[in-house]
DNA sequence: CCCTGTGAACCTGTTCACAGCG
DNA sequence: CGCTGTGAACAGGTTCACAGGG
């Protein structure tokens, strides 16, 4: 694994490749060329090849890529070759929706514990998961072998929750709060900013004409 | 407005600037320098200045940027200088959460209508919005003056719903389905792929060591 | 001929460094 | 002196074009 100098956008596209390859595998397709893969994702064939070679040589000239092995390979690269347990912090409307989101288990992520601080939520079940108090967070990270958290808390609480996650030794945070988190270098943070996404779209719509 | 050649990442950061500036305005801060703005967002001061000058000259040498006017300016650029009405398609768990998401109205987006195809959902209310059948979509786009949609439908339905939106004359789509949508060039699409975001994070966490 | 892998060319976006204004 | 705005240098990513394998 050469982890030196892989463009971030390339990693992002790896997810797209994986999704498409899983589809192809289900349809029974055995091999696929960079061009075919590219077309269905509206990318260029060169892009696909370049992206894949950042991580190794998976194709065969004249043939293309074998679907099944490449799926395995990409999962390994993305760290989803085994099921990854995840905790959720913040069980509001968004948190509840994420708890039930099928796309997570489908792609190898299982939310195994949920935390909040509202007393009236503690002890309740959402699906198979019981809501616990945030103070028990440390225990849970030990109990399950687990290194990622999903944060769906109000903006004003985000930094404190992030601090507690880092203190508990979390490896990465998927942050839904519209806040710039202050975290140690070694903790990976990836933010999903819903309102900002709408603003991006709004900009596109209202300047394209 | 010079809409030629603005880096996309710059537009993305505009959202961050706006959010921070709104905070500063609330705190009563009158002016802010590129350095101050940059620090709170973990960017470089040069980046901030460069980004802003893609859209005009808003600062004063020796002083910085006046918070209030810059907020107005950024809103105008992002198209949120007035409230934007939006429709939601797909009222599952995620759709419901988005209907209730405070971040949208806070940033000038109001979901004024919701659509689904499940008969048992039609006619029900979520918050102030009544769920209608997708067939009535065309009417709604006329009824409200509106050009953006949020799509929170299952992957298998995504392309068809997108087709119907485009047919109805939508201007842009915020897509939550993990699918590459096929849409006419003139329709702006912005995708939020939750599972892919987790995979990004997983990659960071599991290769950083 | 079809396809991959890859250096090289190209393009896009970021950082630097400084002129010039208040 | 502090701060913006900006060309110029630089870095990061993408596309091109082709050598070489099946």
């Amino acid at each position: 694994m050469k982890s030196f100098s892989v463009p971030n956008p390339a990693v992002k596209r790896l997810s797209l490749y994986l999704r498409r390859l899983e589809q192809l595998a289900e349809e029974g397709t055995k091999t696929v060329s960079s061009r075919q893969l590219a077309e269905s994702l509206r990318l260029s064939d060169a892009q696909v090849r370049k992206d894949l070679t950042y991580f190794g040589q998976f194709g065969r000239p004249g043939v293309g890529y074998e679907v099944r092995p490449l799926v395995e390979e990409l999962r390994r690269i993305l760290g989803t070759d085994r099921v990854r347990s995840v905790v959720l912090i913040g069980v509001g409307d968004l948190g509840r929706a994420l708890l039930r989101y099928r796309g997570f288990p489908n792609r190898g992520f299982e939310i195994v514990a949920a935390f909040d601080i509202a007393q009236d939520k503690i002890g309740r079940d959402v699906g198979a998961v019981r809501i616990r108090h945030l103070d028990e967070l440390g225990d849970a990270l030990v109990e399950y072998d687990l290194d990622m958290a999903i944060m769906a808390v109000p903006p004003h609480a985000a930094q404190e929750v992030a601090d507690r996650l880092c203190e508990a030794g979390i490896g990465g945070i998927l942050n839904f709060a519209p806040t710039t988190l202050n975290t140690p270098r070694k903790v990976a943070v990836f933010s999903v900013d819903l309102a900002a996404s709408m603003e991006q779209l709004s900009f596109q719509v209202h300047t394209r004409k």
Side-chain angles (χ1 to χ4, degrees), chain A residues 152-164:
Chain A
V153 304
H156 67 266
Q159 184 58 54
E160 204 212 309
V161 170
D163 290 344
R164 294 178 76 155

Side-chain angles (χ1 to χ4, degrees), chain A residues 93-127:
Chain A
D93 289 316
L94 186 56
R96 246 186 300 275
L98 296 172
L99 262 173
R100 298 198 177 108
Y101 185 61
R102 289 180 200 82
F104 287 148
N106 277 351
R107 301 305 290 278
F109 300 103
E110 197 188 351
I111 300 179
V112 295
F115 298 88
D116 208 302
I117 49 163
Q119 280 304 333
D120 57 318
K121 287 178 189 163
I122 313 288
R124 290 210 193 184
D125 292 344
V126 180

Side-chain angles (χ1 to χ4, degrees), chain A residues 5 14 20 34 40 51 58 80-81 88 97 112 124 135 140-142 144 165 186 189 197-198:
Chain A
S5 118
L14 242 45
R20 182 71 185 121
S34 58
S40 60
D51 284 348
F58 307 121
T80 55
D81 48 339
L88 171 77
V112 295
R124 290 210 193 184
D135 291 342
L141 296 206
V142 179
Y144 310 97
L165 282 166
K186 65 175 177 175
V189 176
S197 299
M198 269 313 287

